[in-house]
């Protein structure tokens, strides 16, 4: 995808130990409203309610993903709550940790056939080579909004980001 290619061009220091995951599986949140394809290797999945509603975190270790920049993984959340925030403001809110720990490569508009919003890629998080990409999105009718964040510890995670952006689904 275009966004993944842009991320790949921006990130020059991501370790290339693993360049592909090969197998992907569909994961859902506990409510069944969200689904997304993630690498089969990301077997630790938390689909519990997030701060604003349906939420999925998938990684090799959800706890380590939340607390460190050492493991690959993804968070996907969406809400129909009226926040009166633009996707830009939502991205600022969800990326506060990365904004303090990493170097931002700047914001870019995000569009795909179903959604529009904004993206931001952060690099070299907390003194590591780990990078992080956030996308805040909404459909044309703005009936809900959501975010996808992927922690990038290796080249294959860029592929995982592209796959997530191509397969995420919000059932409203």
């Amino acid at each position: 995808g275009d966004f993944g290619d842009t991320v790949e061009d921006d990130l020059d220091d991501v370790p290339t130990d693993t360049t592909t995951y090969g197998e992907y599986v569909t994961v859902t949140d506990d409510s069944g409203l969200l689904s997304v394809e993630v690498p089969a290797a990301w077997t630790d999945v938390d689909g519990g309610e997030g701060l604003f509603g349906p939420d999925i975190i998938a990684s090799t270790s959800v706890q380590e993903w939340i607390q460190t920049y050492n493991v690959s993984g993804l968070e996907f959340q969406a809400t129909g709550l009226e926040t009166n925030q633009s996707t830009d403001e939502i991205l600022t809110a969800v990326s506060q940790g990365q904004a303090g720990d990493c170097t931002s490569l700047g914001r870019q508009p995000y569009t795909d056939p179903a959604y529009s919003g904004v993206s931001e890629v952060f690099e070299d998080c907390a003194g590591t080579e780990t990078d992080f990409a956030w996308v805040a999105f909404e459909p044309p009718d703005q009936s809900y909004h959501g975010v996808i964040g992927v922690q990038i510890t290796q080249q294959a995670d860029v592929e995982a980001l592209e796959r997530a952006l191509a397969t995420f689904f919000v059932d409203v």
Side-chain angles (χ1 to χ4, degrees), residues 6 59 117:
T6 302
S59 178

Side-chain angles (χ1 to χ4, degrees), residues 28-81:
T28 60
D29 73 301
D30 294 351
S31 73
L33 294 175
L34 305 181
S35 65
V36 64
E37 290 184 17
V38 300
W42 295 358
T43 56
D44 193 5
V45 178
D46 180 351
E49 184 88 357
L51 202 51
F52 300 107
D55 189 272
I56 301 170
I57 299 175
S59 178
T60 53
S61 167
V62 167
Q63 200 59 43
E64 198 172 351
W65 185 87
I66 291 169
Q67 296 175 339
T68 74
Y69 290 103
N70 298 334
V71 297
S72 304
L74 163 148
E75 181 169 20
F76 170 29
Q77 58 181 308
T79 183
L81 294 176

Side-chain angles (χ1 to χ4, degrees), residues 76-91:
F76 170 29
Q77 58 181 308
T79 183
L81 294 176
E82 184 55 57
T83 64
N84 293 315
Q85 290 183 307
S86 68
T87 52
D88 208 43
E89 291 167 320
I90 291 164
L91 185 58

